[in-house]
Amino acid sequence: MAYQFDFTPVLDNAGLLLTGAGFTLALTAVGAVFGIGLGVLGAVCRAWKLAPFDRLFGLYVEVIRNTPFLVQLFFIFFGLPSLGVKMTEWQAAVLAMVINLGAYSTEIIRAGIQATPRGQLEAAESLAMTRTQTFKHVVLRPALAKVWPALTSQVIIVMLGSAVCSQIATEELTFAANFIQSRSFRAFETYFVTTAIYFVMALLIRQLLIQLGQRVVVGRAR
């Protein structure tokens, strides 16, 4: 018997999917801002070997890059309460995304910082620029301009990985899709639409970050 496609149950719950997509975008936005901020801090410590923080960030990067994101999420949401640290699903999801993105962006940004030509630093010194001015205009912005495409891709990867946050009942897009599927039993239609929404969100985030990079990072780094 041929399968009869029926997208009606999914379309009837479009509002639930859009709410979940908005939640996913919010998670991604907060995770990206604080994750990249943490990555800048870690990159500076590692690139300039600021002891003992360089070793601490080195250990942090190795632990996060060599463990699954789902395990990190479970450790935060289920493990930390054993030590008296309790948080909501939203807080746990945000913290997990920040920590995960922070580790990967640390290495990405560090590569950009270490690619700064020595001549540029000497030129900044000859112009009597302060360390803060040198770091901001000569080191950080050019470094971010070099690695912005890699950072953009990493943010999208984290956004897609946020789907596992549904495992702790975070009401993001995948959670909404699972809810609809469990009541309509239209698995193909539900996850087909969900896949399309993730695809569109990934494209939109990429274009947004490209435009942001061109205006704020690359443009000012020239």
Side-chain angles (χ1 to χ4, degrees):
M1 183 177 179
Y3 183 79
Q4 298 294 321
F5 294 102
D6 183 8
F7 286 88
T8 302
V10 182
L11 297 179
D12 288 342
N13 290 279
L16 188 60
L17 287 175
L18 293 177
T19 299
F23 203 101
T24 296
L25 292 174
L27 277 175
T28 304
V30 177
V33 171
F34 288 98
I36 293 177
L38 180 60
V40 170
L41 179 61
V44 171
C45 291
R46 298 206 70 193
W48 291 354
K49 300 187 183 303
L50 303 178
F53 302 105
D54 57 337
R55 294 184 179 181
L56 291 176
F57 270 103
L59 176 62
Y60 154 65
V61 167
E62 289 303 315
V63 169
I64 297 303
R65 293 177 68 185
N66 290 285
T67 54
F69 178 62
L70 181 60
V71 174
Q72 297 164 20
L73 178 66
F74 281 177
F75 176 79
I76 291 172
F77 188 68
F78 296 113
L80 291 184
S82 300
L83 303 178
V85 182
K86 297 182 180 181
M87 58 188 71
T88 65
E89 296 87 353
W90 161 265
Q91 292 168 336
V94 168
L95 182 58
M97 292 178 69
V98 168
I99 290 175
N100 187 271
L101 179 58
Y104 285 92
S105 60
T106 291
E107 291 303 282
I108 293 172
I109 298 171
R110 180 169 75 108
I113 291 176
Q114 292 179 329
T116 303
R118 180 62 186 174
Q120 290 187 9
L121 298 177
E122 293 174 348
E125 184 177 354
S126 67
L127 293 173
M129 294 178 67
T130 65
R131 290 185 177 182
T132 301
Q133 290 174 329
T134 300
F135 173 73
K136 181 179 179 180
H137 300 288
V138 180
V139 177
L140 183 58
R141 278 183 177 162
L144 289 176
K146 292 184 182 76
V147 302
W148 195 254
L151 280 177
T152 297
S153 296
Q154 194 59 47
V155 170
I156 293 174
I157 290 172
V158 170
M159 184 275 290
L160 298 175
S162 69
V164 304
C165 295
S166 63
Q167 298 299 309
I168 62 170
T170 304
E171 297 179 358
E172 43 73 63
L173 178 56
T174 299
F175 180 88
N178 292 339
F179 179 85
I180 295 170
Q181 190 279 143
S182 67
R183 283 155 177 76
S184 66
F185 302 103
R186 309 303 298 188
F188 178 87
E189 293 88 337
T190 300
Y191 293 115
F192 179 86
V193 173
T194 303
T195 299
I197 294 174
Y198 272 115
F199 179 73
V200 171
M201 287 197 302
L203 292 181
L204 291 176
I205 290 174
R206 184 179 299 278
Q207 289 302 315
L208 176 63
L209 290 178
I210 288 175
Q211 293 296 322
L212 181 64
Q214 289 292 332
R215 295 182 181 182
V216 179
V217 179
V218 178
R220 295 185 181 183
R222 292 175 179 173

